[in-house]
């Protein structure tokens, strides 16, 4: 009798585990095994968990890469503007190597016609190695070891939170799958918000550009150039996003302006030499940068600006070329000097 009970308990336990695994595999809310199935929509709101799966398993020929600065693009805007199918490769505070890891994974099974790359200046100064292991990422979703998939298949949060949420959102008729990772709808943007979320740093007396930073920038630019050279079939659209006046104030006080202008100059010098590369400088978009009502903090702007950027990528107003990049960066330098001398002090009269 006892042996039958143990056998029955064992069989039932195994059956339950198999059922749980089957439910997770079928729904697959992190898209670790496949694209949306069983009539479910692409409900994408957790970049660290879902990004690598979508890159590996979705069908697309356009890829938007970036940090949180790139989350509020609607993929459909790019699809309509460039006649492609776009998904996002997002990592908060991403380094250049982080994003190029995503890009390398995309090239494993996809032919990319377009890459849209949000070029954060801080990423150009970061170390030229990806930071997934040290950033608390769920590495069991990133590696190719099926044994540690138990962390996904038998995860109560996946079973009782992610899957029900995926089903509930899929049932919403007006859910827009193009708004992957979008958070702008939950935030407010105003001068008051921008100033509230800006903590002005003290003035630094450190050197402007250290040798280690210069080496990191050179290494990262080289990585970008290698990717562009290796894939002449892909049109690369790199762009510097329009950080606000407050960001420039922060970087000036921290002694990083020389570092950033070196990064921009080096990037432009190298990337504009490629026929399949288009480099845009939205840092010089003065009507945006100087309007704090468009921001929620010193960097992050409203989705209206994301839409505006997509529209500009088909034009030449902010395009840097081999012939004009030096002049354009000099013009940006003069703008920054003016903002620091005249515009920014108005927000901090006590200083």
């Amino acid at each position: 009798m006892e042996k039958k009970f143990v056998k029955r308990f064992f069989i039932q336990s195994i059956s339950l585990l198999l059922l749980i695994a089957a439910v997770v595999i079928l729904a697959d809310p992190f898209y670790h095994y496949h694209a949306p199935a069983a009539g479910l929509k692409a409900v994408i709101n957790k970049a660290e968990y879902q990004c690598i799966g979508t890159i590996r398993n979705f069908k697309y020929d356009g890829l938007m890469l970036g940090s949180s600065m790139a989350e509020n693009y609607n993929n459909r805007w790019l699809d309509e503007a460039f006649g492609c199918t776009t998904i996002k490769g997002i990592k908060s505070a991403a380094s250049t190597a982080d994003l190029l890891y995503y890009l390398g994974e995309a090239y494993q099974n996809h032919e990319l016609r377009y890459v849209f790359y949000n070029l954060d200046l801080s990423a150009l100064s970061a170390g030229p190695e990806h930071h997934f292991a040290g950033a608390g990422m769920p590495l069991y979703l990133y590696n190719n070891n099926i044994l540690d998939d138990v962390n996904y298949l038998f995860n109560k949060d996946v079973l009782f939170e992610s899957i029900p949420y995926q089903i509930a959102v899929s049932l919403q008729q007006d859910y827009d799958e193009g708004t992957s990772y979008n958070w702008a709808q939950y935030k407010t943007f105003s001068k008051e918000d921008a100033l509230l979320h800006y903590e002005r740093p003290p003035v630094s007396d450190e050197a402007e550009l250290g040798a280690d930073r210069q080496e990191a920038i050179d290494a990262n630019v080289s990585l970008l150039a290698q990717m562009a050279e290796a894939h002449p079939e892909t049109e690369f659209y790199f762009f510097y996003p329009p950080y606000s006046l407050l960001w420039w104030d922060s970087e000036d006080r921290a002694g990083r302006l020389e570092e950033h202008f070196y990064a921009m100059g080096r990037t432009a010098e190298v990337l504009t030499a490629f026929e399949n590369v288009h480099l845009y400088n939205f840092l010089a978009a003065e009507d945006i940068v100087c309007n704090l009502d468009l921001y929620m903090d010193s960097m992050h702007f409203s989705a209206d600006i994301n839409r505006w950027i997509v529209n500009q990528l088909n034009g030449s107003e902010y395009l840097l070329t081999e012939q004009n990049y030096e002049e354009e960066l000099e013009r940006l330098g003069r703008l920054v000097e003016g903002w620091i001398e005249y515009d920014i002090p108005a927000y901090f009269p006590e200083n």
Side-chain angles (χ1 to χ4, degrees):
M1 185 73 175
E2 183 177 342
K3 288 184 179 180
K4 288 184 178 180
F5 173 79
V6 172
K7 182 179 180 180
R8 188 183 308 115
F9 177 79
F10 180 77
I11 293 174
Q12 290 176 345
S13 298
I14 294 297
S15 298
L16 179 61
L17 289 174
L18 290 175
L19 176 61
I20 291 172
V23 169
V24 173
I25 291 172
L26 177 62
D28 198 9
F30 296 163
Y31 310 109
H32 187 49
Y33 302 108
H34 56 77
L40 297 174
K41 295 179 180 178
V43 181
I44 304 175
N45 63 332
K46 294 183 177 180
E48 65 270 28
Y49 291 93
Q50 296 172 306
C51 190
I52 191 63
T54 62
I55 287 174
R56 288 172 175 167
N57 297 315
F58 279 35
K59 293 182 179 179
Y60 58 92
D61 56 2
L63 182 62
M64 165 66 76
L65 291 169
S67 63
S68 58
M69 300 293 294
E71 290 178 321
N72 292 325
Y73 291 93
N74 189 312
N75 300 335
R76 299 187 195 281
W77 300 340
L78 292 160
D79 297 350
E80 294 167 1
F82 291 89
C84 59
T85 300
T86 310
I87 69 166
K88 297 193 190 99
I90 299 292
K91 182 176 180 295
S92 181
S95 70
T96 301
D98 292 338
L99 298 182
L100 291 182
Y101 172 84
Y102 283 154
L103 186 53
E105 289 294 308
Y107 276 121
Q108 293 294 320
N109 296 301
H110 297 82
E111 295 181 1
L112 296 180
R113 294 169 57 210
Y114 298 102
V115 169
F116 309 100
Y117 195 117
N118 181 89
L119 200 58
D120 283 310
L121 294 178
S122 59
L124 288 171
S125 300
E129 311 84 19
H130 71 71
H131 302 145
F132 291 105
M137 303 291 283
L139 297 182
Y140 57 88
L141 297 173
Y142 287 74
N143 62 30
N144 294 307
N145 181 1
I146 62 172
L147 296 179
D148 62 9
D149 280 5
V150 295
N151 294 293
Y152 180 45
L153 296 175
F154 306 109
N155 187 313
K156 65 179 179 63
D157 291 335
V158 171
L159 192 64
F160 297 114
E161 293 182 16
S162 297
I163 292 177
Y165 181 78
Q166 178 189 29
I167 294 172
V169 174
S170 292
L171 294 174
Q172 296 177 12
Q173 296 296 321
D174 60 348
Y175 177 68
D176 184 355
E177 294 175 279
T179 59
S180 52
Y181 312 122
N182 187 294
W183 47 260
Q185 57 192 313
Y186 307 111
K187 302 292 184 178
T188 57
F189 300 84
S190 69
K191 179 177 67 176
E192 291 72 23
D193 286 300
L195 290 169
L196 178 65
H197 294 107
Y198 176 58
E199 185 174 347
R200 200 179 196 200
V203 176
S204 172
D205 57 0
E206 294 183 7
E208 284 273 328
L209 177 61
D212 57 337
R213 292 285 185 166
Q214 184 171 334
E215 290 176 4
I217 291 168
D218 291 343
N220 284 319
V221 172
S222 178
L223 290 175
L224 294 173
Q226 290 170 26
M227 190 64 74
E229 184 175 21
H231 295 282
E233 76 282 3
T234 303
E235 294 291 319
F236 290 86
Y237 285 79
F238 293 97
F239 55 92
Y240 303 116
Y243 307 135
S244 81
L245 285 173
L246 299 180
W247 183 85
W248 287 106
D249 178 57
S250 173
E251 299 309 288
D252 173 53
R253 294 171 70 84
R256 288 192 287 262
L257 291 188
E258 183 180 350
E259 173 186 318
H260 294 321
F261 274 91
Y262 176 81
M264 286 186 286
R266 185 64 181 147
T267 305
E269 176 188 5
V270 172
L271 293 186
T272 57
F274 291 94
E275 291 186 2
N276 61 325
V277 168
H278 315 269
L279 176 61
Y280 287 82
N281 178 27
F282 299 125
L283 293 164
E286 192 166 15
D287 289 345
I288 293 173
V289 171
C290 295
N291 185 359
L292 293 186
D293 283 324
L294 299 174
Y295 293 83
M296 61 163 279
D297 55 28
S298 65
M299 299 173 63
H300 297 92
F301 39 75
S302 75
D304 290 339
I305 305 308
N306 296 95
R307 183 63 183 265
W308 176 85
I309 287 173
V310 170
N311 293 337
Q312 301 307 310
L313 293 179
N314 269 323
S316 60
E317 182 176 356
Y318 296 93
L319 182 66
L320 298 181
T321 67
E322 286 185 283
Q323 291 72 35
N324 76 0
Y325 81 83
E326 291 182 332
E327 179 182 349
E328 286 300 307
L329 292 183
E330 288 176 2
R331 184 173 74 87
L332 175 61
R334 293 193 295 272
L335 286 174
V336 171
E337 288 178 3
W339 298 337
I340 291 170
E341 184 174 357
Y342 300 108
D343 296 84
I344 292 171
Y347 292 107
F348 306 101
E350 70 280 4
N351 297 109

